[in-house]
Amino acid sequence: MTIPADLKYTDTHEWARQEADGTVAVGITHHAQDLLGDLVFVEMPKLGRKVKKGEECGVVESVKAASDIYAPLSGEVVAVNSALESAPQKINEGAYDAWMFKLKLSDPQELASLLDAAAYRRLVESAAH
Amino acid sequence: MLKTPLNDEHRALGAKLVDFGGWEMPLHYGSQLEEHHMVRRDAGMFDVSHMLVIDVTGASSAPFLLRLLANSIERLERPGSALYSCMLNDDGGIIDDLIAYWLSERQYRLVVNAATADKDLRWLQTQRERLSLDVRIVPRRDLAMVAIQGPSAREKLWRARPELKPCSEPLSPFCAAQCDGWMVARTGYTGEDGFEVMLPADQALGFWRSLRAAGIGPAGLGARDTLRLEAGMNLYGQDMDETVTPLESGLAWTVDLASAREFIGRRALESRKPRAQLIGLICMDRGVLRSAQRVVTEHGEGRVTSGGFSPTLNVSIALARVPVAVRPGQTVQVEARDRLLRARTVKCPFVRHGKPLVELPVA
């Protein structure tokens, strides 16, 4: 199971990565894409949308099921990876390369509330038993 | 959980295994989409040993099946022919759908669904006693079954097992032949050409491996479901069950009402007007139709019975039970989570022999 050490995670299986420009990139974890199976549709939040931590802001649909995407942190959507709309399988191919959107945080303190890699691994492993 | 003779092999091939009607079966071996395309474009194989083969033999086997099945075995022209039929209860509800093969005089073979197998056997035995007919009902758990499907299925099967070619090459669709203790049938559940092979369980692994060596890849239940949905074929328990009749399930073509034959359920079918129909849906919006979603039409409400993404068409498709007044070509709305998706009603199938048969929404 791939869980990069330099990312932060949510218990709803999103990952968050601090970018050099101060924004935070968001995607779904390897574990999440593995559970969902082949992805066929991705719906991402609109550019400029202001989201609150934990708010529903997108959907990924696989051949098997649909799953909501939740904002891991509060902020404004400042970039959307529109390449995923026509190629959602990129998330299956590399969940941590396929960022879905980027947030400009309204409260950078929230970052501390996310799970680190070790905590996320424990979460996934406990769910598996 | 029940296991087929190929269970260890599925594990060795890296299958994701799931519970399917009490059987531990492969959902996929890595990518359901790739397995789907492999079957449409080349050839794939499915372990379908969880389905039950039931032999019905004896002097009264034909009168017994004439009473039990909604489709008429009198349509079978010669031994080796097969037909698709529903088995109905007294109310016309569907106990199961099955394929009936005429093997030889006084000998028939039924292939029924895994999840309904015990119920089917009980029903057959009850009816035999009720009718006091001289019939033997023999469940064949000693047999395994492998389906080989796709445009290259025939050629690749013969590459793997040249000895099967002489007896299986002359077979027309929906016919079967006995080849040295194996039964090879030109049937399937994907809308592609191919075979279903019934063989002694202890020979299944060797057969499976020889098929792999001939370039046939394994495909799981996931691909089987998207393939059959594209082919417009019903899945028991999802698109039909004991609460609906074949006439309400797009299966009027399998019900023999032309002859005077008294089959179980006939009276109910004749006295009860269909309350709904099964129709195809193509999603016009981005999103995936899923089973149980509400369908809103100008003639009333319906439900999606099977929905999913069609890898061949690259849009979402579904089967839905809707009011009988709904016609192909109409636009309906499907309640998907918190939004409404537009869908167009179509006649099934969606795909046949790899070719789309329906008009797709403009991107």
Side-chain angles (χ1 to χ4, degrees), chain A residues 39-54:
Chain A
L39 292 173
V40 293
F41 279 112
V42 185
E43 201 182 300
M44 287 170 293
K46 293 219 162 33
L47 206 59
R49 176 171 160 186
K50 292 197 169 68
V51 294
K52 284 216 169 74
K53 178 174 157 46

Side-chain angles (χ1 to χ4, degrees), chain B residues 21-42:
Chain B
W23 291 78
E24 190 177 62
M25 299 299 291
L27 181 66
H28 60 73
Y29 301 82
S31 167
Q32 177 177 333
L33 282 181
E34 280 171 27
E35 290 161 26
H36 179 108
H37 291 310
M38 171 181 72
V39 173
R40 283 273 177 262
R41 294 167 186 168
D42 183 13

Side-chain angles (χ1 to χ4, degrees), chain B residues 86-113:
Chain B
C86 291
M87 185 159 70
L88 306 181
N89 60 26
D90 292 321
D91 300 327
I94 304 172
I95 292 174
D96 202 4
D97 67 325
L98 52 85
I99 295 183
Y101 297 91
W102 185 13
L103 297 187
S104 61
E105 199 176 344
R106 298 178 180 185
Q107 204 175 4
Y108 292 83
R109 173 166 285 181
L110 309 178
V111 178
V112 306
N113 285 298

Side-chain angles (χ1 to χ4, degrees), chain A residues 1 11 13 31 115 118-129:
Chain A
M1 187 168 33
D11 57 5
H13 308 288
H31 174 71
L115 305 173
Y120 182 65
R121 178 178 294 276
R122 280 196 297 275
L123 176 95
V124 170
E125 285 174 353
S126 67
H129 297 297

Side-chain angles (χ1 to χ4, degrees), chain B residues 1 7-8 14 47 64 112 117 144 162 215 217-218 220-221 227 230 241 251 259 276 308 316 333 351:
Chain B
M1 219 178 313
N7 186 272
D8 287 342
D47 175 13
F64 182 62
V112 306
L221 290 178
L227 289 158
E230 286 184 351
D241 54 34
L251 297 174
S259 73
S316 177
Q333 290 188 308
V351 177

